[in-house]
């Protein structure tokens, strides 16, 4: 009889963390200023006011180490939080590794990923300031569905620009957003100047997160204050809201009487990696631990491992403020891999800074090897992972196999940021042998750099 | 600010029930004998041995009130059990009802429904007797994916005959079964005599659970003992394995210091309804409570409300033993509603007996009204329900609205047996206005009765 013991570490509701952790208080150096897209001068909170409610802008620039989670946000979190920490014993047995593999599972949220952690918070702060409508973009749809759900809970209308390639690849995610009451467009659209300018250049454009951001930002910017904009990753306040993941995991590791040697998350904009890793980075700094932190990114869109560290726009058209980050260029068009949530040209400025300071490592993976890991995980752990999260699984399995080769007892923690229930067409492509691997073009960064803003 | 408080009742792992509850010990009268399909004489355990391992046959005929859950089954259950009991406060507020609505959520299992409760147990008992392959049928795919998962955990090959209309309507479920390593066919197939005989009569047959059962039974029956058969509902042992749901809910209601006035589940073969309701029926008998029990079935396949109570085959071709049940006739072909898991001509014998004895009630619902309830639930509770489970939501909302009209404090409990992540195409049909309602044809039972075995 196989040993199927499944080990989970749960927390009671009253053990759910009461604060988010703000890594800005613990960085090796201060963050670089955010610059105005036209003047290239540092901007202040007032410049962001057309897009975000003031409570969120204050979080974006805060240097306080801990920020209280408002009670109305905790009320909603309680439906699925604290989320479980699992020990992947069946996977360990299949790999025959001396490593201990743990994963924090964020797919237990109703929308199926970590994104509601920030969607609920952002909907709350908008509601508090009387906002009745929010515009946003989405890649694979994890973010759009989470914000649509949060909008339903707080009585806020949500308009979503969904990257066209994902709109077509992942119709179930679109239906989910609609079931939550969200309005969904395939981006680029004819509804915005940004969309029309892209379509004028390429009527068959399959879209990108950068383009969809341009469209959503434009809707808010031109609304005369009636519509605010929300972003699902990259920005400081988004990463902040996700830190409840790592805060919980720290408590769960205390319960397990264990501690990770390496903490892994997939990275597109960076929010689920940050959510898990930042509290452990803070812990490592405070206690002088040598924990490793590994960002797992797609080979088709490798912003950390192949991008340059420079000021760039967050969107394609060039409407957003400039931030210093690892970027493939704001007009880079990533190949249509199934991990739509990772198809973003830039990386969160906080993660970029930590990578530049060598606090964290990064590796890039091809999608066929990522799906191979996903299927091994499915057959051992029973959970079918999202293509995005499967990058973290690939990295974790590689770490476990390295530990085996070295005869080491490595403790591996990764973020299973979401399930793949809405991504089954991708699995079908994999099983049918139709998945393509896309090498990032070597000359692409040099090319992109020509279009990037020259900051002196 | 809306009141978004979400209330959940959880149990610790060590509070997970150690026994299943067997209602056969508490029935108002003994169950009717099961008859041989040819001789119409009562059959014994030996007659079932070609299909099932002996441990399962013993459970099928057991009259013990409590049966111990084996430790290897509990090992697997621990991944997602005990499942949460939620109070649907946001739904209550939307309905403005004095009723208190609770739901037990079985969608937390990795396969997304209650089906793994029995799939894991059946895989275990088969493994224990050295079986290396199991054949089965599936409607919407909840059962097939659960057994494929359990097979992966216990190292057993799983071959699945999936009803053709669902195979086409719900490709994501098929991909899920394949991801777990299952082999899936669209039934009727050319692989079995049963399938070929159906295709000879109707080459375009869209299939039914009855036909798929015939095919799966044939594979086991002709394997010379190498392949066993597994059923996902209807039979006593399947209902038994599901009672962990109600056993947990009883503990959770004690925690909530509340008790249901009415217990609701959707019914196809009857297993999720039985799983929740049977322990409460036992409790009502022991304590003399007047709890109501309500089975929610589809108008397109209303076996309890429109069927007759008679001996009939469990499959279409007539290979299975005869059981006394509410049936629409073993060759009834239900319309292709999206709740594929409820498209079964018969009802579990234990539920049929309780309905005949007026211990339980039943109502039938049209699918558009069911989807309307599902969308209201999605926008308030955040969880997108399976079309099957949404029948229970429709019934629960109706109860809550009746309570409101009567000014009553009714306590309503329903089983949210699964999520609808793999059923989003059905939601798209609903939103597009393409859902049809199918009235059960009034003459159909009289017609079916002509083909039914005449038991004297």
């Amino acid at each position: 009889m196989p040993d199927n013991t499944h080990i989970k570490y749960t927390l009671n509701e009253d053990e759910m963390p009461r604060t988010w952790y703000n890594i800005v208080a613990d960085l090796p150096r201060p963050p670089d200023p955010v610059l105005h897209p036209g003047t290239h001068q540092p901007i202040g909170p007032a410049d962001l006011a057309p897009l975000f409610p003031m409570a969120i802008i204050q979080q974006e620039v805060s240097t306080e180490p801990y920020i209280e989670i408002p009670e109305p946000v905790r009320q909603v979190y309680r439906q699925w939080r604290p989320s479980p920490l699992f020990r992947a014993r069946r996977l360990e047995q299949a790999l025959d590794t001396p490593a201990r593999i743990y994963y924090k599972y964020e797919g237990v949220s109703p929308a199926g990923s970590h994104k509601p952690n920030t969607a609920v918070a952002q909907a709350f702060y908008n509601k508090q300031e009387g906002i009745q409508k929010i515009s946003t973009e989405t890649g694979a749809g994890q973010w759009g569905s989470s914000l649509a759900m949060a909008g339903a809970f707080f009585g806020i209308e949500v308009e979503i620009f969904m990257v066209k390639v994902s709109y077509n690849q992942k119709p179930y995610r679109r239906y989910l957003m609609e079931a939550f009451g969200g309005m969904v467009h395939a981006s680029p659209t004819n509804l915005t100047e940004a969309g029309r300018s892209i379509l004028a250049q390429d009527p068959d454009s399959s879209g990108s997160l950068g383009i969809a951001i341009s469209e959503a930002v434009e809707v808010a910017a031109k609304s005369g204050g009636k519509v605010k904009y929300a972003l699902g990753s990259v920005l400081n306040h988004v990463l902040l809201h996700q830190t409840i993941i790592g805060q919980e995991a720290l408590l769960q590791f205390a319960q397990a009487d264990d501690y990770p040697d390496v903490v892994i998350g997939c990275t597109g904009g960076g929010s689920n990696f940050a959510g898990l890793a930042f509290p452990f980075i803070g812990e490592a700094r405070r206690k002088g631990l040598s924990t490793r932190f590994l960002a797992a990114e797609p080979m088709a869109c490798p912003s950390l491992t192949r991008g340059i560290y420079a000021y760039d726009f967050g969107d394609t058209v060039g409407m957003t403020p400039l931030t210093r980050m690892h970027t493939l260029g704001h007009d880079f068009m990533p190949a249509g891999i199934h991990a739509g949530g990772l198809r973003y040209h830039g990386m969160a400025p906080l993660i970029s800074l930590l990578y530049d300071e060598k606090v964290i490592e990064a590796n890039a993976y091809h999608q066929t090897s990522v799906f191979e890991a996903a299927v091994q995980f499915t057959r051992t752990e029973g959970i079918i992972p999202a293509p995005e999260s499967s990058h973290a699984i690939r990295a974790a399995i590689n770490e476990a196999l390295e530990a085996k080769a070295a005869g080491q007892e490595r403790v591996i923690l990764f973020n299973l940021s979401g399930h793949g229930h809405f991504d089954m067409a991708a699995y079908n492509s994999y099983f049918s042998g139709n998945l393509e691997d896309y090498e990032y073009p070597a000359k692409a960064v040099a090319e992109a750099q020509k279009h990037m803003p020259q900051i002196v």
Side-chain angles (χ1 to χ4, degrees), chain A:
Chain A
M1 192 61 59
D3 174 7
N4 273 318
T5 311
H6 209 281
I7 304 179
K8 80 179 162 206
Y9 300 95
T10 51
L11 298 170
N12 293 327
E13 237 174 71
D14 55 13
E15 295 172 289
M16 185 165 77
R18 297 185 171 272
T19 55
W20 291 303
Y21 167 67
N22 184 11
I23 202 165
V24 174
D26 287 324
L27 290 177
R29 59 175 171 84
D32 300 289
V34 176
L35 306 182
H36 189 281
T39 66
H40 296 186
Q41 294 304 305
I43 61 167
D47 296 292
L48 294 170
L51 295 186
F52 301 107
M54 197 43 74
I56 283 182
I57 297 171
Q58 281 161 0
Q59 292 183 347
E60 187 63 22
V61 299
S62 169
T63 56
E64 291 298 313
Y66 293 97
I67 294 175
E68 196 183 329
I69 305 174
E71 186 50 31
V73 173
R74 289 169 51 85
Q75 280 179 357
V76 180
Y77 279 179
R78 278 191 195 102
Q79 184 173 0
W80 71 90
R81 303 213 72 89
S83 72
L85 175 75
F86 289 118
R87 171 97 180 267
R89 284 193 68 256
R90 291 193 292 244
L91 177 61
E92 291 169 16
Q93 288 174 58
L95 297 171
D96 189 24
T97 174
R100 296 194 289 285
I101 307 174
Y102 295 84
Y103 56 101
K104 182 78 170 159
Y105 185 34
E106 290 294 308
V108 294
S109 82
S113 76
H114 64 297
K115 295 289 187 189
N117 295 333
T118 183
V120 169
Q122 293 193 49
F124 163 73
Y125 290 119
N126 275 283
K127 184 74 177 180
Q128 206 180 29
E129 297 190 16
I131 301 304
Q132 291 175 13
K133 184 171 172 181
I134 302 177
S135 66
T136 197
E137 73 292 325
T138 199
Q142 287 189 342
W143 166 243
S145 53
S146 301
L147 192 66
M149 181 188 84
F153 292 170
F154 286 96
I156 297 175
E157 208 180 318
V158 178
E159 184 171 3
I160 303 153
F161 293 86
M162 185 175 189
V163 177
K164 195 180 279 173
V165 60
S166 291
Y167 185 93
N168 294 325
Q169 263 178 358
K170 299 177 194 287
Y172 278 29
R173 276 276 173 199
R174 168 160 64 91
Y175 306 152
L176 179 62
M177 290 183 254
E178 289 167 352
F180 285 133
M183 180 192 292
V184 189
H185 312 293
S187 165
T189 73
N190 273 310
L191 301 170
T192 65
E193 274 184 38
R196 288 189 292 271
S197 75
I198 297 289
L199 289 172
Q201 294 162 41
D202 177 9
D204 298 324
S205 169
S206 59
S208 72
L209 273 167
I211 295 169
I213 293 173
S214 295
E215 296 206 87
V217 165
E218 183 182 324
V219 166
K222 289 188 172 168
S223 72
K226 283 189 193 156
V227 181
K228 295 284 181 188
Y229 166 73
L231 190 67
S233 191
V234 179
L235 297 180
N236 298 2
H237 69 274
V238 180
L239 276 52
L240 174 78
H241 299 156
Q242 293 296 354
T243 58
I244 190 164
I245 303 171
Q247 299 269 86
E248 287 179 1
L250 278 169
L251 298 173
Q252 288 162 318
F253 268 94
Q255 201 184 103
D257 196 20
D258 209 344
Y259 199 85
D261 295 312
V262 55
V263 178
I264 301 169
C266 68
T267 47
S271 77
N272 95 74
F273 170 78
L276 179 64
F278 282 6
F280 284 89
I281 292 176
E283 195 77 354
R285 279 182 70 84
R286 279 188 298 278
K287 298 189 177 170
L289 308 174
S290 57
T291 320
R292 291 169 50 221
F293 301 94
L294 175 58
E297 61 182 14
M299 195 69 96
C301 195
S303 57
L304 285 173
T305 54
R306 304 279 196 97
I308 54 170
Y309 190 38
Y311 271 99
D312 200 1
F313 296 105
D315 70 323
T316 300
V317 170
M319 300 168 67
T320 70
L322 299 167
T323 55
R324 191 170 174 214
M325 58 182 176
H326 287 81
T327 176
L328 300 167
H330 61 274
D331 50 7
F332 172 65
M333 283 291 289
I337 54 169
H338 283 278
L342 306 186
R343 293 178 70 248
Y344 185 60
H345 66 275
M347 182 50 59
L350 290 175
I351 293 176
S352 294
L353 186 156
L354 289 164
Y355 184 65
D356 185 57
E357 293 283 334
K358 302 191 168 29
V359 176
I360 65 174
E361 310 161 30
N363 270 326
Y365 305 90
H366 273 308
Q367 69 175 348
T368 48
S369 82
V370 164
F371 274 90
E372 186 194 350
V375 170
Q376 182 166 34
F377 185 81
T378 300
R379 293 184 183 171
T380 50
E381 294 298 306
I383 300 170
I384 192 139
E388 291 82 0
S389 321
S390 301
H391 288 71
I393 298 175
R394 175 75 273 162
I397 290 178
N398 289 1
E399 288 281 334
L401 293 175
E402 279 173 34
K404 179 183 178 177
Q408 274 180 356
E409 261 200 23
R410 201 173 293 184
V411 180
I412 301 163
L413 166 64
F414 72 90
N415 198 358
L416 186 60
S417 56
H419 61 61
H421 299 172
F422 302 103
D423 305 290
M424 295 310 298
Y427 281 87
N428 189 43
S429 292
Y430 172 70
F431 286 122
S432 315
N434 292 331
L435 271 197
E436 278 181 71
D437 282 335
Y438 303 94
E439 191 71 40
Y440 177 74
K443 289 185 191 162
V445 164
E447 196 57 39
Q449 218 164 349
K450 293 182 194 159
H451 309 143
M452 281 164 61
Q454 302 305 314
I455 308 296
V456 285

